[in-house]
């Protein structure tokens, strides 16, 4: 049934979610897609922040994150910020496909399994869905890389990172996660919607490493970039 529905959807023209132009097989038309904010070509091989020269930025050299690298489909700027807000809080669940397809297109496929960033049970009940899991489902279906939605859990209800100063974000998520899976020798991709300081990804990476994973990639829909 889902298959038939997706065939029907791909045959019907639909409107671009940004400009309203008719487009088939996509939620964003080609001209709008070409204008979406992406990461600069010159960036840190680990955290993906802009880096005019060299491979790894000073911050990652000083203090290696517990994740191996970050891959992001977009920069977290207009209109991505608006699309992600509409997806998370405005009931636009269909954007999971748009985000997942874009992420699958930029992700390297040298990973063994995908783990979505877990949501604490209270937050999940409030929102009704895990925004990272719905994107991860699309990425998994597109790439064929297996999804392990239950490998990790968030056991602490923490205040939203966005509400906190950067310096407090690492402390806010400390010991927030547990990993119940045996990940010995595995290369893991963690899917999440937005990455800013990387504190949450780093903390989840701590338990994934403890479970035996040898590499952890953050696959992010949109990465915040410094304003300059
Ligand atoms: Zn358009
Ligand atoms: Zn870096």
């Amino acid at each position: 049934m889902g298959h038939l529905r997706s065939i029907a959807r791909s045959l019907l023209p639909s409107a671009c979610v940004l400009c309203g132009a008719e487009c088939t097989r996509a939620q964003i038309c080609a001209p709008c897609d070409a204008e979406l904010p992406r990461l600069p070509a010159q960036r840190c091989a680990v955290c993906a922040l802009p880096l005019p020269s060299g491979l790894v930025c000073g911050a990652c050299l000083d203090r290696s994150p517990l994740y191996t690298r970050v891959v992001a489909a977009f920069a977290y700027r207009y209109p991505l910020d608006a699309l992600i807000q509409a997806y998370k809080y405005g009931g636009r669940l269909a954007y999971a496909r748009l985000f997942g397809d874009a992420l699958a297109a930029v992700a390297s496929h040298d990973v063994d399994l995908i783990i979505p960033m877990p949501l604490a049970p209270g937050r999940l009940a409030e929102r009704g869905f895990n925004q990272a899991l719905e994107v991860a489902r699309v990425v998994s279906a597109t790439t064929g890389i297996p999804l392990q939605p239950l490998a990790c859990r968030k056991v602490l209800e923490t205040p939203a990172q966005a509400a906190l100063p950067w310096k407090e974000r690492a402390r806010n998520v400390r010991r927030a996660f547990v990993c119940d899976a045996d990940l010995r020798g595995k290369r893991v991709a963690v899917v999440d919607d937005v990455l800013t300081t990387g504190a949450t990804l780093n903390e989840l990476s701590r338990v994934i490493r403890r479970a035996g994973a040898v590499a952890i990639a953050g696959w992010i829909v949109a990465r915040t970039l410094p304003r300059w």
Side-chain angles (χ1 to χ4, degrees):
M1 188 58 203
H3 185 57
L4 284 178
R5 210 178 294 137
S6 69
I7 290 173
R9 194 175 46 210
S10 70
L11 294 176
L12 287 172
S14 59
C16 168
V17 300
L18 293 174
C19 73
E22 193 175 282
C23 54
T24 47
R25 313 181 72 88
Q27 289 164 283
I28 292 186
C29 72
C32 285
D33 186 74
E35 296 283 306
L36 291 176
R38 314 239 173 209
L39 297 190
Q42 300 270 66
R43 55 184 188 259
C44 171
V46 179
C47 71
L49 282 180
L51 185 65
S53 65
L55 279 175
V56 177
C57 76
C60 289
L61 283 174
D62 278 354
R63 202 173 187 188
S64 278
L66 296 169
Y67 47 85
T68 321
R69 65 177 184 281
V70 167
V71 172
F74 302 108
Y76 189 68
R77 287 206 185 115
Y78 185 82
L80 261 299
D81 50 356
L83 290 174
I84 288 177
Q85 297 291 316
Y87 168 59
K88 280 162 80 168
Y89 309 112
R92 300 299 180 111
L93 262 166
Y95 291 176
R97 169 150 300 280
L98 189 168
F99 298 149
D101 284 346
L103 196 45
V106 295
S108 60
H109 291 189
D110 54 348
V111 306
D112 302 304
L113 60 104
I114 296 172
I115 293 177
M117 178 61 72
L119 215 53
R123 189 67 54 79
L124 184 61
E126 191 183 299
R127 189 170 300 160
F129 68 104
N130 175 345
Q131 73 273 9
L133 172 58
E134 298 313 313
V135 174
R137 282 189 211 285
V138 176
V139 178
S140 172
T142 308
T143 60
I145 300 166
L147 178 66
Q148 282 202 19
L150 304 175
C152 300
R153 289 177 291 132
K154 191 167 186 198
V155 290
L156 283 186
E157 197 84 53
T158 53
Q161 291 287 81
L164 296 174
W166 282 30
K167 288 201 163 141
E168 286 172 27
R169 293 185 182 193
R171 189 159 13 121
N172 181 45
V173 292
R174 205 160 291 155
R175 287 184 283 279
F177 300 104
V178 294
C179 179
D180 304 313
D182 178 359
L183 301 174
R184 267 174 293 180
K186 301 291 189 199
R187 299 162 303 170
V188 174
V190 173
V191 168
D192 203 0
D193 56 343
V194 177
L195 181 129
T196 302
T197 63
T200 308
L201 176 61
N202 202 57
E203 195 57 32
L204 180 62
S205 297
R206 190 185 309 281
V207 296
I208 291 177
R209 278 207 186 271
R210 215 174 282 147
V214 291
I216 301 160
W219 288 1
I220 310 297
V221 174
R223 202 231 191 284
T224 303
L225 296 181
R227 290 171 219 275
W228 60 52

